[in-house]
Amino acid sequence: MQKTVSKAKNALQGEIIVPSDKSISHRAIIFSSLACGKSTIKNFSDGQDPKSTLNIFKKLGVEIEQDNDCLTVISNGKLNPSSNILDCGNSGTTMRLLAGVLAGQNFNSVLSGDLSLSNRPMKRIIEPLSLMGAKIDSDNYKAPLKIYGRDLNSIDYKSKISSAQVKSCVLLAGLNTKDFGVTKFTEPYLSRNHTELMLKSMGADIISEGTSAAIRSSKLEPIKMTIPGDVSSAAFFIAAGLIVPNSKIILRNVGLNPTRTGIIEVAKQMGGNIKILDKREVCGEYVGDIQVEYSELHSCEISGEIIPKLIDEIPVLAVLATQAQGETIIKDAQDLRNKESDRIKTIVSELKKLGADIEETEDGMIIRGKLNLKGGHKVRTYNDHRIAMSLYVAGLICEKEILINEFEWVNISFPEFEYLIEKLNNK
Ligand code: S3P
């Protein structure tokens, strides 16, 4: 589907409720399927990725009923083998977390994915799982993964990369080891910690300290939870509110877990007028409303510890940086090349077409602003939902309209994206 985006006619004004968090939605399904009893999950994401996770657990014999955005999960804590290939679609989180669950079962499974997922690196999970005794066949460390379920041992694993997907995979395998030892995962910088928080609230024997988390084989209690809004979806509105002249918007019900809010920290550092209203705690996660006003921005350097806290927001931060005075440098973000697309290459090439002064580096990019984006070009999403939405935000400030190819990929995480932008723009 080709999408035409023209310069925003009006300032963005008003308020929206940000849709459900994708990362937490995946985990809510996975962990409640492993718990014994009835769980209820409210505000479940309607993105395609969490649906992939949900469909797989149905195939593994878990009873899941859906009433709009409310799910009831009834499980005896045990999974059944599936004679079908388990299709993870576009979702790296589904494949990597599921591998940790399935490696320790007493049956075999096959996980497959779409073209993009089949090209993403799986060595990062196959390696630690193999050290735990898992047997996984792959196509040179790429999907499909054939997992031969067997008893696993605990492990003390030091990961070279900071990754919540790898961490969650190892912790989920550690939840079900047969030697009942401690499985410890340490990463260079702390990545999102939803797995640790949710497993703890479900009664798992898990301890977090600094950049490590340690778990013992445990039984999980069912949960009742309401999933907060996704700060990674809010990020597109934060950026749009900051760069569309005279905008003032409120984003309601956004998850504010400190391992996810790097975008807010950086946008404030760049001079963004952002206020958090009514910060509260819902089911162990911080939630709040975010007020964003159009601002004069200046450049900054984004590197090191903050990178995992904004890893998914870098494409839209690049758009923001085109409107900031000075040179914004993004470093230490090499792993962006392993996402749904090589996000360093794809965002740099497409923003260049729109007139940005932006340059690719090995582990990030350099953006020089402030420049008026000319637009007037066709750009590509590379079948990547976050590239699609970042380009749409750029289109709102381009002088001439832009055409975005393959825009339907937004459905992976945020089907209502355009509707909500239009709602704020027409007020
Ligand atoms: C996610 C972790 C991140 C992120 C992805 C979702 C998760 O990936 O990019 O969109 O839910 O655990 P990595 O852990 O590979 O950095």
Side-chain angles (χ1 to χ4, degrees), residues 368-381:
R368 294 176 199 91
K370 174 182 182 177
L371 267 192
N372 281 344
L373 299 183
K374 300 261 177 297
H377 275 272
K378 203 182 243 185
V379 284
R380 287 191 55 197
T381 66

Side-chain angles (χ1 to χ4, degrees), residues 35-55:
C36 190
K38 176 174 158 182
S39 295
T40 45
I41 303 163
K42 289 192 181 144
N43 197 31
F44 184 73
S45 165
D46 67 351
Q48 199 51 54
D49 276 3
K51 273 184 203 148
S52 296
T53 299
L54 190 154
N55 288 335

Side-chain angles (χ1 to χ4, degrees), residues 211-228:
T211 65
S212 298
I215 194 165
R216 264 181 205 276
S217 190
S218 323
K219 294 259 173 285
L220 298 182
E221 305 288 338
I223 37 166
K224 282 196 189 342
M225 78 174 300
T226 303
I227 298 174

Side-chain angles (χ1 to χ4, degrees), residues 22-24 26-27 93 96-97 120 124 161-168 191-192 194-195 308 311-312 335 339-340 343 385-386:
K22 188 158 81 78
S23 281
I24 301 180
H26 284 294
R27 287 159 173 81
T93 307
R96 294 190 177 124
L97 271 59
R120 293 179 66 184
R124 55 184 62 196
I161 54 169
S162 301
S163 164
Q165 292 180 351
V166 178
K167 171 170 63 180
S168 304
S191 63
R192 65 190 69 187
H194 305 301
T195 293
I311 188 74
D312 291 339
D335 209 34
K339 298 294 177 184
E340 286 83 330
R343 287 183 176 155
H385 55 127
R386 299 203 199 280

Side-chain angles (χ1 to χ4, degrees), residues 13 15-17 418-427:
Q13 297 282 343
E15 55 178 75
I16 57 167
I17 299 173
E418 193 183 18
Y419 164 75
L420 292 175
I421 288 268
E422 282 177 351
K423 185 174 165 204
L424 296 176
N425 196 16
N426 286 332
K427 281 237 162 179

